[in-house]
PDB file of all heavy atoms in Angstrom:
ATOM      1  N   SER A  83      17.105  -5.937  -0.849  1.00 97.00           N
ATOM      2  CA  SER A  83      16.791  -7.151  -1.604  1.00 97.00           C
ATOM      3  C   SER A  83      18.062  -7.813  -2.139  1.00 97.00           C
ATOM      4  O   SER A  83      18.044  -8.987  -2.505  1.00 97.00           O
ATOM      5  CB  SER A  83      15.854  -6.828  -2.768  1.00 97.00           C
ATOM      6  OG  SER A  83      16.432  -5.883  -3.648  1.00 97.00           O
ATOM      7  N   ARG A  84      19.152  -7.046  -2.172  1.00 98.00           N
ATOM      8  CA  ARG A  84      20.440  -7.613  -2.598  1.00 98.00           C
ATOM      9  C   ARG A  84      21.567  -6.824  -1.959  1.00 98.00           C
ATOM     10  O   ARG A  84      21.539  -5.592  -1.934  1.00 98.00           O
ATOM     11  CB  ARG A  84      20.564  -7.566  -4.118  1.00 98.00           C
ATOM     12  CG  ARG A  84      21.767  -8.354  -4.646  1.00 98.00           C
ATOM     13  CD  ARG A  84      21.734  -8.499  -6.156  1.00 98.00           C
ATOM     14  NE  ARG A  84      21.927  -7.238  -6.832  1.00 98.00           N
ATOM     15  CZ  ARG A  84      22.715  -7.061  -7.893  1.00 98.00           C
ATOM     16  NH1 ARG A  84      23.390  -8.088  -8.392  1.00 98.00           N
ATOM     17  NH2 ARG A  84      22.829  -5.894  -8.458  1.00 98.00           N
ATOM     18  N   ASN A  85      22.555  -7.538  -1.450  1.00 98.00           N
ATOM     19  CA  ASN A  85      23.719  -6.910  -0.823  1.00 98.00           C
ATOM     20  C   ASN A  85      24.974  -7.425  -1.536  1.00 98.00           C
ATOM     21  O   ASN A  85      25.362  -8.577  -1.365  1.00 98.00           O
ATOM     22  CB  ASN A  85      23.764  -7.257   0.669  1.00 98.00           C
ATOM     23  CG  ASN A  85      24.974  -6.659   1.370  1.00 98.00           C
ATOM     24  OD1 ASN A  85      25.727  -5.880   0.787  1.00 98.00           O
ATOM     25  ND2 ASN A  85      25.176  -7.023   2.626  1.00 98.00           N
ATOM     26  N   VAL A  86      25.568  -6.565  -2.364  1.00 98.00           N
ATOM     27  CA  VAL A  86      26.768  -6.948  -3.113  1.00 98.00           C
ATOM     28  C   VAL A  86      27.997  -6.497  -2.323  1.00 98.00           C
ATOM     29  O   VAL A  86      28.176  -5.296  -2.069  1.00 98.00           O
ATOM     30  CB  VAL A  86      26.781  -6.310  -4.517  1.00 98.00           C
ATOM     31  CG1 VAL A  86      28.073  -6.654  -5.256  1.00 98.00           C
ATOM     32  CG2 VAL A  86      25.566  -6.773  -5.314  1.00 98.00           C
ATOM     33  N   GLU A  87      28.823  -7.455  -1.950  1.00 97.00           N
ATOM     34  CA  GLU A  87      30.031  -7.143  -1.181  1.00 97.00           C
ATOM     35  C   GLU A  87      31.255  -7.174  -2.095  1.00 97.00           C
ATOM     36  O   GLU A  87      31.532  -8.176  -2.747  1.00 97.00           O
ATOM     37  CB  GLU A  87      30.202  -8.138  -0.031  1.00 97.00           C
ATOM     38  CG  GLU A  87      29.085  -8.072   1.001  1.00 97.00           C
ATOM     39  CD  GLU A  87      29.277  -9.071   2.122  1.00 97.00           C
ATOM     40  OE1 GLU A  87      29.833 -10.158   1.841  1.00 97.00           O
ATOM     41  OE2 GLU A  87      28.881  -8.773   3.265  1.00 97.00           O
ATOM     42  N   ILE A  88      31.960  -6.048  -2.151  1.00 97.00           N
ATOM     43  CA  ILE A  88      33.210  -5.948  -2.918  1.00 97.00           C
ATOM     44  C   ILE A  88      34.246  -5.355  -1.972  1.00 97.00           C
ATOM     45  O   ILE A  88      34.127  -4.195  -1.560  1.00 97.00           O
ATOM     46  CB  ILE A  88      33.048  -5.045  -4.156  1.00 97.00           C
ATOM     47  CG1 ILE A  88      31.915  -5.567  -5.059  1.00 97.00           C
ATOM     48  CG2 ILE A  88      34.364  -4.968  -4.942  1.00 97.00           C
ATOM     49  CD1 ILE A  88      31.552  -4.621  -6.180  1.00 97.00           C
ATOM     50  N   PHE A  89      35.247  -6.145  -1.634  1.00 95.00           N
ATOM     51  CA  PHE A  89      36.210  -5.694  -0.627  1.00 95.00           C
ATOM     52  C   PHE A  89      37.497  -5.170  -1.251  1.00 95.00           C
ATOM     53  O   PHE A  89      38.074  -5.782  -2.152  1.00 95.00           O
ATOM     54  CB  PHE A  89      36.533  -6.820   0.348  1.00 95.00           C
ATOM     55  CG  PHE A  89      35.439  -7.069   1.347  1.00 95.00           C
ATOM     56  CD1 PHE A  89      34.471  -8.033   1.098  1.00 95.00           C
ATOM     57  CD2 PHE A  89      35.365  -6.322   2.510  1.00 95.00           C
ATOM     58  CE1 PHE A  89      33.458  -8.260   2.002  1.00 95.00           C
ATOM     59  CE2 PHE A  89      34.354  -6.537   3.433  1.00 95.00           C
ATOM     60  CZ  PHE A  89      33.388  -7.505   3.175  1.00 95.00           C
ATOM     61  N   GLN A  90      37.914  -4.002  -0.774  1.00 93.00           N
ATOM     62  CA  GLN A  90      39.251  -3.460  -1.037  1.00 93.00           C
ATOM     63  C   GLN A  90      39.957  -3.464   0.314  1.00 93.00           C
ATOM     64  O   GLN A  90      39.706  -2.601   1.154  1.00 93.00           O
ATOM     65  CB  GLN A  90      39.174  -2.050  -1.601  1.00 93.00           C
ATOM     66  CG  GLN A  90      38.882  -2.001  -3.090  1.00 93.00           C
ATOM     67  CD  GLN A  90      39.013  -0.590  -3.651  1.00 93.00           C
ATOM     68  OE1 GLN A  90      39.197   0.376  -2.911  1.00 93.00           O
ATOM     69  NE2 GLN A  90      38.929  -0.472  -4.965  1.00 93.00           N
ATOM     70  N   GLY A  91      40.814  -4.453   0.514  1.00 93.00           N
ATOM     71  CA  GLY A  91      41.361  -4.638   1.857  1.00 93.00           C
ATOM     72  C   GLY A  91      40.235  -5.080   2.773  1.00 93.00           C
ATOM     73  O   GLY A  91      39.545  -6.053   2.502  1.00 93.00           O
ATOM     74  N   GLU A  92      40.016  -4.321   3.826  1.00 92.00           N
ATOM     75  CA  GLU A  92      38.939  -4.652   4.761  1.00 92.00           C
ATOM     76  C   GLU A  92      37.679  -3.826   4.510  1.00 92.00           C
ATOM     77  O   GLU A  92      36.666  -4.028   5.173  1.00 92.00           O
ATOM     78  CB  GLU A  92      39.430  -4.425   6.201  1.00 92.00           C
ATOM     79  CG  GLU A  92      40.560  -5.365   6.617  1.00 92.00           C
ATOM     80  CD  GLU A  92      40.962  -5.158   8.063  1.00 92.00           C
ATOM     81  OE1 GLU A  92      40.396  -4.245   8.704  1.00 92.00           O
ATOM     82  OE2 GLU A  92      41.829  -5.899   8.551  1.00 92.00           O
ATOM     83  N   LYS A  93      37.741  -2.905   3.536  1.00 94.00           N
ATOM     84  CA  LYS A  93      36.595  -2.009   3.288  1.00 94.00           C
ATOM     85  C   LYS A  93      35.672  -2.591   2.223  1.00 94.00           C
ATOM     86  O   LYS A  93      36.110  -2.988   1.140  1.00 94.00           O
ATOM     87  CB  LYS A  93      37.092  -0.630   2.841  1.00 94.00           C
ATOM     88  CG  LYS A  93      35.949   0.391   2.667  1.00 94.00           C
ATOM     89  CD  LYS A  93      36.476   1.725   2.179  1.00 94.00           C
ATOM     90  CE  LYS A  93      37.186   2.482   3.281  1.00 94.00           C
ATOM     91  NZ  LYS A  93      36.254   2.935   4.338  1.00 94.00           N
ATOM     92  N   ASP A  94      34.379  -2.637   2.538  1.00 96.00           N
ATOM     93  CA  ASP A  94      33.366  -3.091   1.589  1.00 96.00           C
ATOM     94  C   ASP A  94      32.910  -1.894   0.753  1.00 96.00           C
ATOM     95  O   ASP A  94      32.285  -0.962   1.265  1.00 96.00           O
ATOM     96  CB  ASP A  94      32.177  -3.692   2.348  1.00 96.00           C
ATOM     97  CG  ASP A  94      31.094  -4.247   1.424  1.00 96.00           C
ATOM     98  OD1 ASP A  94      31.286  -4.213   0.192  1.00 96.00           O
ATOM     99  OD2 ASP A  94      30.056  -4.708   1.943  1.00 96.00           O
ATOM    100  N   ILE A  95      33.230  -1.912  -0.550  1.00 96.00           N
ATOM    101  CA  ILE A  95      32.857  -0.801  -1.436  1.00 96.00           C
ATOM    102  C   ILE A  95      31.728  -1.223  -2.383  1.00 96.00           C
ATOM    103  O   ILE A  95      31.571  -0.663  -3.473  1.00 96.00           O
ATOM    104  CB  ILE A  95      34.071  -0.307  -2.254  1.00 96.00           C
ATOM    105  CG1 ILE A  95      34.638  -1.449  -3.123  1.00 96.00           C
ATOM    106  CG2 ILE A  95      35.146   0.260  -1.332  1.00 96.00           C
ATOM    107  CD1 ILE A  95      35.622  -0.966  -4.176  1.00 96.00           C
ATOM    108  N   GLY A  96      30.934  -2.203  -1.959  1.00 97.00           N
ATOM    109  CA  GLY A  96      29.868  -2.747  -2.789  1.00 97.00           C
ATOM    110  C   GLY A  96      28.612  -1.883  -2.826  1.00 97.00           C
ATOM    111  O   GLY A  96      28.660  -0.667  -2.598  1.00 97.00           O
ATOM    112  N   THR A  97      27.489  -2.518  -3.118  1.00 98.00           N
ATOM    113  CA  THR A  97      26.225  -1.793  -3.307  1.00 98.00           C
ATOM    114  C   THR A  97      25.061  -2.522  -2.624  1.00 98.00           C
ATOM    115  O   THR A  97      25.150  -3.718  -2.320  1.00 98.00           O
ATOM    116  CB  THR A  97      25.896  -1.653  -4.805  1.00 98.00           C
ATOM    117  OG1 THR A  97      25.837  -2.966  -5.396  1.00 98.00           O
ATOM    118  CG2 THR A  97      26.924  -0.803  -5.516  1.00 98.00           C
ATOM    119  N   PHE A  98      23.979  -1.782  -2.421  1.00 98.00           N
ATOM    120  CA  PHE A  98      22.710  -2.336  -1.955  1.00 98.00           C
ATOM    121  C   PHE A  98      21.644  -2.116  -3.027  1.00 98.00           C
ATOM    122  O   PHE A  98      21.609  -1.056  -3.653  1.00 98.00           O
ATOM    123  CB  PHE A  98      22.218  -1.615  -0.688  1.00 98.00           C
ATOM    124  CG  PHE A  98      23.032  -1.847   0.544  1.00 98.00           C
ATOM    125  CD1 PHE A  98      23.695  -0.789   1.154  1.00 98.00           C
ATOM    126  CD2 PHE A  98      23.101  -3.099   1.130  1.00 98.00           C
ATOM    127  CE1 PHE A  98      24.434  -0.974   2.315  1.00 98.00           C
ATOM    128  CE2 PHE A  98      23.834  -3.302   2.291  1.00 98.00           C
ATOM    129  CZ  PHE A  98      24.499  -2.240   2.882  1.00 98.00           C
ATOM    130  N   ASP A  99      20.772  -3.107  -3.212  1.00 98.00           N
ATOM    131  CA  ASP A  99      19.490  -2.893  -3.886  1.00 98.00           C
ATOM    132  C   ASP A  99      18.464  -2.763  -2.769  1.00 98.00           C
ATOM    133  O   ASP A  99      18.283  -3.705  -1.980  1.00 98.00           O
ATOM    134  CB  ASP A  99      19.111  -4.082  -4.769  1.00 98.00           C
ATOM    135  CG  ASP A  99      19.890  -4.123  -6.059  1.00 98.00           C
ATOM    136  OD1 ASP A  99      20.874  -3.366  -6.200  1.00 98.00           O
ATOM    137  OD2 ASP A  99      19.530  -4.927  -6.944  1.00 98.00           O
ATOM    138  N   ILE A 100      17.810  -1.615  -2.687  1.00 98.00           N
ATOM    139  CA  ILE A 100      16.769  -1.420  -1.678  1.00 98.00           C
ATOM    140  C   ILE A 100      15.436  -1.327  -2.403  1.00 98.00           C
ATOM    141  O   ILE A 100      15.247  -0.452  -3.262  1.00 98.00           O
ATOM    142  CB  ILE A 100      17.033  -0.148  -0.840  1.00 98.00           C
ATOM    143  CG1 ILE A 100      18.417  -0.248  -0.172  1.00 98.00           C
ATOM    144  CG2 ILE A 100      15.950   0.042   0.205  1.00 98.00           C
ATOM    145  CD1 ILE A 100      18.815   0.977   0.612  1.00 98.00           C
ATOM    146  N   GLU A 101      14.501  -2.218  -2.079  1.00 98.00           N
ATOM    147  CA  GLU A 101      13.269  -2.351  -2.866  1.00 98.00           C
ATOM    148  C   GLU A 101      12.021  -2.024  -2.066  1.00 98.00           C
ATOM    149  O   GLU A 101      11.911  -2.350  -0.881  1.00 98.00           O
ATOM    150  CB  GLU A 101      13.171  -3.774  -3.412  1.00 98.00           C
ATOM    151  CG  GLU A 101      12.024  -4.005  -4.383  1.00 98.00           C
ATOM    152  CD  GLU A 101      10.737  -4.450  -3.694  1.00 98.00           C
ATOM    153  OE1 GLU A 101      10.831  -5.052  -2.603  1.00 98.00           O
ATOM    154  OE2 GLU A 101       9.648  -4.179  -4.234  1.00 98.00           O
ATOM    155  N   LYS A 102      11.089  -1.358  -2.748  1.00 97.00           N
ATOM    156  CA  LYS A 102       9.750  -1.146  -2.195  1.00 97.00           C
ATOM    157  C   LYS A 102       8.806  -0.848  -3.365  1.00 97.00           C
ATOM    158  O   LYS A 102       9.161  -0.116  -4.284  1.00 97.00           O
ATOM    159  CB  LYS A 102       9.738   0.032  -1.204  1.00 97.00           C
ATOM    160  CG  LYS A 102       8.375   0.217  -0.509  1.00 97.00           C
ATOM    161  CD  LYS A 102       8.408   1.384   0.463  1.00 97.00           C
ATOM    162  CE  LYS A 102       7.038   1.570   1.102  1.00 97.00           C
ATOM    163  NZ  LYS A 102       6.999   2.742   1.999  1.00 97.00           N
ATOM    164  N   ASN A 103       7.616  -1.450  -3.332  1.00 97.00           N
ATOM    165  CA  ASN A 103       6.613  -1.257  -4.383  1.00 97.00           C
ATOM    166  C   ASN A 103       7.137  -1.593  -5.778  1.00 97.00           C
ATOM    167  O   ASN A 103       6.717  -0.995  -6.780  1.00 97.00           O
ATOM    168  CB  ASN A 103       6.085   0.188  -4.372  1.00 97.00           C
ATOM    169  CG  ASN A 103       5.365   0.544  -3.094  1.00 97.00           C
ATOM    170  OD1 ASN A 103       4.497  -0.202  -2.629  1.00 97.00           O
ATOM    171  ND2 ASN A 103       5.720   1.675  -2.496  1.00 97.00           N
ATOM    172  N   GLY A 104       8.060  -2.549  -5.859  1.00 97.00           N
ATOM    173  CA  GLY A 104       8.575  -2.964  -7.158  1.00 97.00           C
ATOM    174  C   GLY A 104       9.613  -2.023  -7.745  1.00 97.00           C
ATOM    175  O   GLY A 104      10.009  -2.151  -8.908  1.00 97.00           O
ATOM    176  N   ILE A 105      10.073  -1.058  -6.960  1.00 98.00           N
ATOM    177  CA  ILE A 105      11.071  -0.071  -7.411  1.00 98.00           C
ATOM    178  C   ILE A 105      12.362  -0.268  -6.616  1.00 98.00           C
ATOM    179  O   ILE A 105      12.332  -0.427  -5.394  1.00 98.00           O
ATOM    180  CB  ILE A 105      10.561   1.369  -7.219  1.00 98.00           C
ATOM    181  CG1 ILE A 105       9.302   1.606  -8.059  1.00 98.00           C
ATOM    182  CG2 ILE A 105      11.635   2.394  -7.564  1.00 98.00           C
ATOM    183  CD1 ILE A 105       9.515   1.600  -9.564  1.00 98.00           C
TER     184      ILE A 105
END
Side-chain angles (χ1 to χ4, degrees):
S83 59
R84 190 170 68 136
N85 179 7
V86 177
E87 296 180 327
I88 303 171
F89 284 94
Q90 279 188 353
E92 295 183 357
K93 184 182 286 292
D94 182 3
I95 60 167
T97 57
F98 291 117
D99 284 11
I100 302 177
E101 187 270 334
K102 185 180 178 183
N103 297 311
I105 298 292

